[in-house]
Amino acid sequence: MARPPKVLTNNTLLAAALEGLEAQRQRIDEQIASVKAMLGKKSPAPAKTAESVPAAKKPGRRKMTEAARKRIAAAQKKRWAEFRKNKPSAE
């Protein structure tokens, strides 16, 4: 008797594993929903698919006040002065 090709066996095995995992996920989701209901929380909204989610906007740069820029510049100058003071001369 001829043996079935391994690809067919692997695909069948993977399909069966996928079905089992999806069943487990559904059972776990139901348990989570029941626990949340006991806690008084609403069940989560269905997961959004990639098609239903609009493209995420790239966040812009945060605005920094003039005073904040001056404080940062002063702190950086202080750090560099300390670095140069502690650095031995190359002479």
Side-chain angles (χ1 to χ4, degrees):
M1 182 171 198
R3 295 178 73 169
K6 283 217 177 250
V7 174
L8 179 63
T9 305
N10 288 341
N11 286 342
T12 305
L13 180 65
L14 289 174
L18 181 62
E19 285 182 31
L21 291 171
E22 287 175 346
Q24 283 180 345
R25 180 175 58 187
Q26 183 177 358
R27 189 183 74 240
I28 290 171
D29 287 341
E30 290 171 357
Q31 290 174 348
I32 289 172
S34 68
V35 170
K36 284 184 177 182
M38 285 186 245
L39 291 172
K41 294 184 179 180
K42 294 181 181 178
S43 62
K48 295 182 179 180
T49 61
E51 298 86 32
S52 67
V53 178
K57 290 184 179 180
K58 183 178 177 184
R61 294 184 67 160
R62 295 189 312 187
K63 302 291 182 188
M64 193 179 305
T65 65
E66 184 66 29
R69 284 194 292 272
K70 286 183 180 181
R71 284 194 309 270
I72 291 170
Q76 188 63 36
K77 287 178 185 178
K78 182 179 176 184
R79 282 192 291 272
W80 274 108
E82 186 69 26
F83 174 77
R84 288 188 187 108
K85 184 176 83 174
N86 293 334
K87 184 178 176 184
S89 314
E91 296 176 31

